[in-house]
Amino acid sequence: MPSLKDLKNRIASVKSTRKITKAMQMVAAAKLRRAQEAAEMARPYAERFNAVMSGLAQSVQGSDSAPKLLAGTGSDQTYLLVLMTAERGLCGGFNSSITRKCRARLEKLVAEGKTVKVLTVGKKGRDMLRRDHGDKLVGHIDLSEVKRVGYANAQEIAKDILGRFDAGEFDVCNIYYSRFENVVTQHPTEQQIIPATFEEAEESTLYDYEPSEEGILADLLPRGVATQIFTALLENAASEQGARQSAMDNATRNAGEMIEDLTIEFNRSRQAVITNELIEIISGAEAL
Amino acid sequence: MAETMKFDLVSPERRLASLDVTEVQIPGAEGDMTAMPQHAPTITTLRPGILKATGPEGTTEYMVTGGFAEIGAEGVTVLAERALARGDVTQAHIDDWVKEAAEAHAKAREFHNEPGPVDDAAKLLNDMVAAGTHIGLDPKVPNL
């Protein structure tokens, strides 16, 4: 039976925890709004870009001159998995669900005898994979100093990936991130970025290309990688804040329940102590 | 009033402009071109330069550093890697961009050492410097 003093301390400590989680929830809500706005603002670019790219890709596909970024290297022996997670924890299952998806794929590929390399963006994912698959980590991109992801960050990551591709380090590149649906639902997503894949274009206008189709494609494909990574980064940022907001909302509610329970227990033992004291006084008086 | 078309200027991070225009002058990779309504559908890559959109309310100018433009019958969409209103471009921006282009050029020379990529990088650098001079700033021309 904990003493009154212990209970009091417990209640005080849970109360301050609740204050922290409440504050974190509100901060996450504010950041989520900003992250969503950023994702929305980036949408027109990504949409137009993909529409143009898929039209281009279709017309070039199959020809021998198709660039490697589109047609692939002709082999699928080496995979580069880009695991994009958050820099910080306390956001529910956000980091672990992305990592789980990536890990499942990784283990399947290894079982098939492929060579797998992992590039991590965000330190949480790296920490989770380091123990089992530390030998496969080939690089890490730290975004902990970045307050707000910009296109420049995506370009940096894309440059790293493209550099490795040019050096022949891998044949296929997949990225893992979380697609934001709403505050309570985020979907861990796998997307292949090299060789590039596109949704079928619905309408195909015949365009004149300047300089040439191949020239434009060669110019656009590297940008396409950056654009896809940028979209993924923004989705991830929104998902992280959404996941954190709901996790912290739950934590705040739990803390509230715990405080209620502890308060009842505290009051009960306080009453018991008073009753005890009264009994002692009364029986003492009677004994006289 | 002249016929107008839709003009959108988007960068990866946001939509910079969306207006009705009568003509758009685009710094295409192979030379400037002016698109007017009912232009034949064209896709062109951009070189660093000045993008000029003329509408009923006057002309607005943007500096773009690259990207591509999609010209259709009903409008022009410019997807710029980076774009700023001409008045917002400062010396610091130009210096940054020129420096970046110079680095890319140096890298191209180091790794490829064949005419294609090196020439492309050199052209990008020259265009960047020219665009800077054009808007009245003073880009530091690096030694090649």
Side-chain angles (χ1 to χ4, degrees):
Chain A
M1 183 78 193
S3 74
L4 277 183
K5 177 88 174 130
D6 288 344
L7 277 173
K8 218 175 186 170
N9 287 343
R10 259 321 278 285
I11 293 174
S13 121
V14 177
K15 267 188 182 157
S16 63
T17 307
R18 182 174 64 170
K19 256 183 218 155
I20 294 168
T21 57
K22 180 92 194 157
M24 279 183 81
Q25 188 224 322
M26 290 194 293
V27 170
K31 281 192 181 161
L32 171 65
R33 208 165 34 237
R34 249 183 296 151
Q36 260 179 304
E37 268 166 28
E40 235 140 73
M41 289 212 274
R43 209 157 287 155
Y45 184 87
E47 273 169 11
R48 294 308 311 157
F49 195 96
N50 285 337
V52 171
M53 284 298 282
S54 56
L56 263 171
Q58 265 172 2
S59 60
V60 178
Q61 210 130 48
S63 82
D64 296 335
S65 57
K68 273 186 175 176
L69 280 173
L70 182 66
T73 54
S75 125
D76 64 341
Q77 183 52 39
T78 313
Y79 278 75
L80 179 74
L81 307 181
V82 182
L83 173 62
M84 302 164 92
T85 52
E87 290 290 344
R88 312 165 74 196
L90 288 179
C91 42
F94 172 76
N95 289 314
S96 45
S97 61
I98 305 175
T99 312
R100 197 176 316 125
K101 185 149 189 114
C102 178
R103 188 195 293 264
R105 177 78 174 162
L106 192 159
E107 275 155 14
K108 192 163 159 259
L109 286 170
V110 170
E112 286 169 8
K114 312 269 189 211
T115 317
V116 183
K117 293 173 179 174
V118 182
L119 177 75
T120 51
V121 178
K123 80 169 188 259
K124 283 287 159 189
R126 183 189 53 171
D127 292 350
M128 277 188 248
L129 282 186
R130 190 153 43 189
R131 186 153 15 129
D132 301 344
H133 302 290
D135 53 325
K136 301 185 185 66
L137 301 180
V138 291
H140 174 67
I141 289 155
D142 193 355
L143 294 178
S144 56
E145 300 300 315
V146 179
K147 287 242 162 53
R148 197 182 162 156
V149 286
Y151 188 62
N153 302 118
Q155 272 180 318
E156 205 177 297
I157 299 172
K159 217 192 260 173
D160 188 329
I161 295 174
L162 291 170
R164 291 170 195 275
F165 186 72
D166 286 340
E169 284 187 36
F170 63 90
D171 305 310
V172 182
C173 177
N174 286 345
I175 56 174
Y176 294 84
Y177 66 99
S178 192
R179 199 161 46 76
F180 180 81
E181 190 172 313
N182 56 42
V183 179
V184 279
T185 336
Q186 297 92 28
H187 301 285
T189 308
E190 172 187 62
Q191 195 180 339
Q192 181 178 318
I193 56 170
I194 299 174
T197 51
F198 294 102
E199 289 158 25
E200 298 284 301
E202 66 277 7
E203 32 101 45
S204 56
T205 325
L206 278 176
Y207 284 105
D208 282 341
Y209 293 100
E210 215 183 296
S212 60
E213 271 178 40
E214 282 85 8
I216 290 185
L217 204 55
D219 188 49
L220 290 196
L221 279 166
R223 288 178 213 264
V225 172
T227 307
Q228 279 175 318
I229 288 173
F230 186 53
T231 311
L233 278 178
L234 290 174
E235 290 279 331
N236 234 8
S239 299
E240 179 195 344
Q241 298 306 338
R244 177 166 297 128
Q245 194 196 332
S246 56
M248 287 301 121
D249 190 35
N250 275 337
T252 309
R253 211 168 312 129
N254 278 345
E257 278 168 25
M258 198 163 195
I259 289 170
E260 267 172 39
D261 291 349
L262 285 173
T263 313
I264 289 172
E265 204 183 327
F266 174 77
N267 286 343
R268 279 219 187 99
S269 13
R270 192 171 54 99
Q271 272 178 330
V273 170
I274 294 170
T275 319
N276 258 342
E277 263 174 37
L278 279 178
I279 291 171
E280 274 165 27
I281 294 168
I282 291 165
S283 45
E286 268 175 8
L288 283 177
Chain B
M1 199 185 88
E3 208 182 337
T4 60
M5 61 180 173
K6 199 106 191 88
F7 166 65
D8 288 298
L9 176 61
V10 289
S11 77
E13 291 176 14
R14 62 202 178 94
R15 189 192 293 268
L16 284 143
S18 178
L19 35 131
D20 289 321
V21 295
T22 49
E23 59 175 81
V24 185
Q25 192 184 324
I26 298 163
E30 305 209 317
D32 283 7
M33 62 159 102
T34 301
M36 299 174 89
Q38 302 304 321
H39 193 286
T42 305
I43 291 176
T44 178
T45 46
L46 304 180
R47 64 177 160 76
I50 303 296
L51 181 80
K52 205 187 276 185
T54 309
E57 291 100 46
T59 303
T60 37
E61 291 184 321
Y62 303 91
M63 163 130 192
V64 295
T65 64
F68 67 100
E70 183 196 8
I71 303 164
E74 66 291 341
V76 174
T77 310
V78 177
L79 291 100
E81 191 98 303
R82 271 170 304 198
L84 277 176
R86 178 173 171 167
D88 294 340
V89 183
T90 60
Q91 184 71 42
H93 286 121
I94 292 289
D95 287 348
D96 269 3
W97 294 338
V98 170
K99 197 168 138 242
E100 203 173 286
E103 276 166 13
H105 178 251
K107 218 169 147 194
R109 267 210 295 206
E110 191 182 327
F111 283 105
H112 298 284
N113 210 14
E114 53 191 68
V118 178
D119 287 352
D120 287 352
K123 181 173 180 302
L124 182 78
L125 179 58
N126 286 336
D127 286 337
M128 196 70 87
V129 172
T133 316
H134 182 77
I135 58 172
L137 293 169
D138 173 33
K140 294 184 197 72
V141 182
N143 292 319
L144 295 181

